[in-house]
């Protein structure tokens, strides 16, 4: 059943102008400042303690994935010289930041990676979204994260259609990338609109939230990690203790749940165990590349950016999975989020 067109006046054409743009990627999602403290342990209630260190990073799944799409399609020195590469896939970010220093830093980081930020709104009087992160160094770098949506929460259901005139001059993107760090009502509206337009959508359903079954048919590529796959399908996954055949049987059952609801391609990332992908007619597992792991932050975002870029460049899904698996392995060998994502010439 089609959902009502929330946020659009009656009679508004769903596809305002023309045909799909031949190669662009549009990412609609979150932009967050990551405020990270490194501690020798987690403070007790009421306790103040000295941290080992602090850093501010540029993050948010939306921004990270936009940076990933842009960096892996461009050579580092080309942008530094101020020359846009003619054949690079155009990447557009649509989102919202506050009128504060974090918002400025986030848009500057996107621009430095080659992302068009004309679709990023600056909300007067609001704060930019933040992730307050405590890294417990004694516990092997285990994270505790508090996310406050702030300006990300202001992204209205018409964010996609309203952005098209300024970003793509009314044309449609070749591929839309969405995650779940903006209001769910906005994501659902965009899924519905894109489906009616015939625009391919990659949904990274993270952080996991239950989606109404009727929206899965609007998803061309569903990319989730094993935790998200398990939560969304309501199926327990026990991948640590099983052999490869048993693992693939479990993953096939979970992927089958999404395929039956209308998803065309299911991709389940498995951390150090690689990635599993399935369509109605084929499935396969790709082992992770063996590498020295430094920091797995943004591994998933790097994978998604590389996968999206490869698809738009015309690669098959199987080849896109292989390439993304290699790109994500480069990112886990480096510290940080956006800065760990490789440029094209580093792949
Ligand atoms: P998320 O960060 O979203 O939970 P994963 O942890 O599943 O995502 O990682 C995404 C992808 O990154 C994996 O499918 C794999 O390609 C790559 N990756 C993650 N961890 C490792 C690792 N230890 N070694 C090599 N590649 C890795």
């Amino acid at each position: 059943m089609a959902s009502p067109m929330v946020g659009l006046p009656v009679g508004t054409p769903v596809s305002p102008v023309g045909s799909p743009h031949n190669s662009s990627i549009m990412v609609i999602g979150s932009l967050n400042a990551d405020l990270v403290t490194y501690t020798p342990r987690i403070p007790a209630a009421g306790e103040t303690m000295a941290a080992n260190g602090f850093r501010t990073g540029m993050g948010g799944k939306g921004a990270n994935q936009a940076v990933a799409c842009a960096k892996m399609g461009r050579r580092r020195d080309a942008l530094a010289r101020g020359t846009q590469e003619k054949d690079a896939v155009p990447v557009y970010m649509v989102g919202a930041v506050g009128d504060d220093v974090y918002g400025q830093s986030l848009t500057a980081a996107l621009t430095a990676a080659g992302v068009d930020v004309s679709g990023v709104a600056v909300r007067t009087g609001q704060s930019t979204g933040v992730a307050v992160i405590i890294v417990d160094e004694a516990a092997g770098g285990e994270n505790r994260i508090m996310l406050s949506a702030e300006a990300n929460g202001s992204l209205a259901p018409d964010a996609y259609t309203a952005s098209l005139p300024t970003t793509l001059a009314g044309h449609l993107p070749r591929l839309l990338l969405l995650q779940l760090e903006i209001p769910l009502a906005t994501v659902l509206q965009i899924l519905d609109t894109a489906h009616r337009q015939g625009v391919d959508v990659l949904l990274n359903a993270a952080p996991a939230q239950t989606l109404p079954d009727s929206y899965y048919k609007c998803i061309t590529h569903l990319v989730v990690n094993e935790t998200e796959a398990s939560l969304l399908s309501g199926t327990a996954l026990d991948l640590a203790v099983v052999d490869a055949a048993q693992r693939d049987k479990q993953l096939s059952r979970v992927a089958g749940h999404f395929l039956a609801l209308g998803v065309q391609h299911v991709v389940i990332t498995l951390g150090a165990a690689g990635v599993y992908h399935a369509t109605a007619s084929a499935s396969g597992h790709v082992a992770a590349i063996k590498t020295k792991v430094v920091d797995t932050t943004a591994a998933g975002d790097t994978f998604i950016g590389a996968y999206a870029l490869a698809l738009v460049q015309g690669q098959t899904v199987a080849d896109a999975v292989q390439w993304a698996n290699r790109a994500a392995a480069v990112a886990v060998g480096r510290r940080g989020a956006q800065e760990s994502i490789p440029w094209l010439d580093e792949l």
Side-chain angles (χ1 to χ4, degrees):
M1 191 188 73
S3 74
M5 295 293 289
V6 184
L8 282 179
V10 174
T12 303
V14 174
S15 170
V17 184
S19 58
H21 190 289
N22 55 8
S23 77
S24 65
I25 297 175
M26 179 179 278
V27 183
I28 309 181
S30 59
L31 302 96
N32 289 323
D34 292 342
L35 311 181
V36 193
T37 45
Y38 299 88
T39 70
R41 63 180 170 80
I42 302 300
E47 181 185 11
T48 301
M49 60 181 275
N52 290 341
F54 171 80
R55 107 184 144 79
T56 309
M58 296 302 115
K61 290 182 192 299
N64 287 352
Q65 290 174 23
V67 165
C69 293
K71 280 180 84 173
M72 290 184 282
R74 289 164 175 75
R75 268 165 267 276
R76 182 211 303 260
D77 57 346
L79 272 166
R81 284 198 312 269
T83 50
Q84 278 285 354
E85 288 178 80
K86 277 199 296 296
D87 54 352
V89 170
V91 181
Y92 298 88
M93 177 80 210
V94 173
V97 293
D99 59 346
D100 53 21
V101 68
Y102 295 138
Q104 289 164 15
S105 304
L106 277 156
T107 47
L110 284 160
T111 304
V115 178
D116 181 305
V117 294
S118 56
V120 178
V122 180
R123 306 280 193 231
T124 309
Q126 286 195 31
S127 301
T128 299
V130 288
V132 179
I133 305 173
I134 298 178
V135 179
D136 183 348
E137 297 196 309
E142 193 180 65
N143 282 337
R144 283 173 169 73
I145 304 179
M146 287 291 303
L147 211 53
S148 192
E150 304 300 328
N152 295 307
S154 73
L155 220 57
D158 70 349
Y160 168 48
T161 45
S163 76
L164 288 175
T166 40
T167 52
L168 287 170
H171 291 281
L172 302 175
R174 169 69 187 78
L175 181 67
L176 256 183
L177 253 65
L178 300 168
Q179 316 78 25
L180 299 180
E181 285 185 345
I182 57 173
L184 187 60
T186 300
V187 173
L188 296 180
Q189 175 64 67
I190 297 168
L191 283 173
D192 185 62
T193 305
H195 184 59
R196 291 166 188 235
Q197 291 172 328
V199 170
D200 286 350
V201 176
L202 184 161
L203 176 68
N204 171 219
Q209 284 183 61
T210 311
L211 302 175
D213 283 353
S214 59
Y215 285 88
Y216 279 93
K217 67 174 182 301
C218 308
I219 303 169
T220 321
H221 305 271
L222 177 68
V223 184
V224 282
N225 67 19
E226 62 189 81
T227 312
E228 292 143 8
S230 172
L231 279 166
L232 289 171
S233 64
T235 309
L237 276 172
D238 183 10
L239 303 177
V241 295
V242 292
D243 67 21
Q246 284 179 312
R247 176 201 61 207
D248 288 359
K249 207 167 138 197
Q250 290 188 52
L251 290 166
S252 158
R253 195 163 356 108
V254 170
H257 170 88
F258 300 123
L259 294 169
L261 289 170
V263 175
Q264 288 177 39
H265 302 276
V266 177
V267 179
I268 305 175
T269 63
L270 307 167
V275 52
Y276 178 86
H277 60 104
T279 64
S281 57
S283 64
H285 173 262
V286 178
I289 307 289
K290 290 207 186 331
T291 186
K292 185 174 162 345
V293 178
V294 174
D295 179 356
T296 59
T297 310
D301 295 331
T302 306
F303 180 95
I304 288 163
Y307 176 78
L309 191 60
L311 291 176
V312 167
Q313 288 171 335
Q315 291 192 38
T316 64
V317 168
D319 287 348
V321 167
Q322 295 274 0
W323 194 60
N325 186 53
R326 283 202 296 277
V330 175
V332 303
R334 302 171 174 192
R335 193 168 286 284
Q338 292 181 6
E339 60 273 32
S340 73
I341 299 167
W343 294 93
L344 177 59
D345 45 329
E346 295 171 329
L347 280 170

